[in-house]
Amino acid sequence: IVQGDARDPEAIAKLLSGSDIVISALGPVKADGAAAKMISTMATGHVITAMQDHDISRYIVVSGAAVVVPGDERNLTGWWMRQLVKLRLGSVLADKQAEYQLLADSDIDWTLLRCPLNDSAPYKSPARVSLLKTSSFHLTAAELADFIIREVEAPSYVREAPFLYSE
């Protein structure tokens, strides 16, 4: 356990020392107030630098389904999801969109998992995956965890941003 702050590059470097892969599900916490502003972008910038310093090449990032990447073909569900997030969480979306751009501009082997709302329903089956669109407003935490484990063991979405969702 490394105690620290994701905004502190030294804490990130210490955390990543000796690691082979980085998995992040970092996001803003409302209780952190102004300190949470652009937290994902800031932390990912520090992680990318630390990864280069420690010769780590693989980074898996949990993000939101409202993030746009080139080639998206949003259906009505995806369009509504993005509109709702823009209205309710515009600054969070701006942060997550900027985080994607940092990854896209880097030379590391990243995967950005674009997820809708997570819920605690029991695992039923592997998450659905699409590089073009999402077809559901939810994803179970167990299905997300299962996908991450499979992506660590056999990378299939390097330098891509798949949508994950439950049936």
Side-chain angles (χ1 to χ4, degrees), residues 35-46:
K37 188 172 174 73
M38 300 303 282
I39 188 69
S40 296
T41 306
M42 184 181 310
T44 289
H46 297 327

Side-chain angles (χ1 to χ4, degrees), residues 48 52 57 102-110 159:
I48 290 170
Q52 293 164 337
S57 62
L102 276 178
L103 294 169
D105 293 342
S106 76
D107 60 356
I108 62 171
D109 293 336
W110 55 268
R159 298 191 62 80

Side-chain angles (χ1 to χ4, degrees), residues 64-67 72-74 112-116 128-134 161-165:
V67 172
D72 280 356
E73 296 178 7
R74 288 187 182 265
L112 183 85
L113 305 177
R114 294 188 285 169
C115 305
R128 299 286 188 203
V129 183
S130 173
L131 291 172
L132 303 176
K133 58 190 170 192
T134 188
F163 289 103
L164 302 182
Y165 54 94

Side-chain angles (χ1 to χ4, degrees), residues 30-138:
K30 192 173 186 173
D32 287 346
K37 188 172 174 73
M38 300 303 282
I39 188 69
S40 296
T41 306
M42 184 181 310
T44 289
H46 297 327
V47 167
I48 290 170
T49 299
M51 287 177 68
Q52 293 164 337
D53 293 345
H54 293 286
D55 199 29
I56 304 167
S57 62
R58 191 74 173 104
Y59 189 21
I60 299 174
V61 181
V62 177
S63 190
V67 172
V68 173
V69 304
D72 280 356
E73 296 178 7
R74 288 187 182 265
N75 55 14
L76 185 58
T77 301
W79 182 84
W80 269 113
M81 192 177 302
R82 181 161 170 78
Q83 299 315 307
L84 291 171
V85 171
K86 281 170 60 175
L87 285 171
R88 294 189 43 91
L89 302 166
S91 62
V92 173
L93 177 57
D95 182 22
K96 291 295 187 179
Q97 192 67 52
E99 178 183 43
Y100 161 73
Q101 197 59 55
L102 276 178
L103 294 169
D105 293 342
S106 76
D107 60 356
I108 62 171
D109 293 336
W110 55 268
T111 301
L112 183 85
L113 305 177
R114 294 188 285 169
C115 305
L117 296 173
N118 287 326
D119 64 50
S120 59
Y123 179 89
K124 290 183 183 177
S125 61
R128 299 286 188 203
V129 183
S130 173
L131 291 172
L132 303 176
K133 58 190 170 192
T134 188
S135 296
S136 173
F137 279 95
H138 75 99

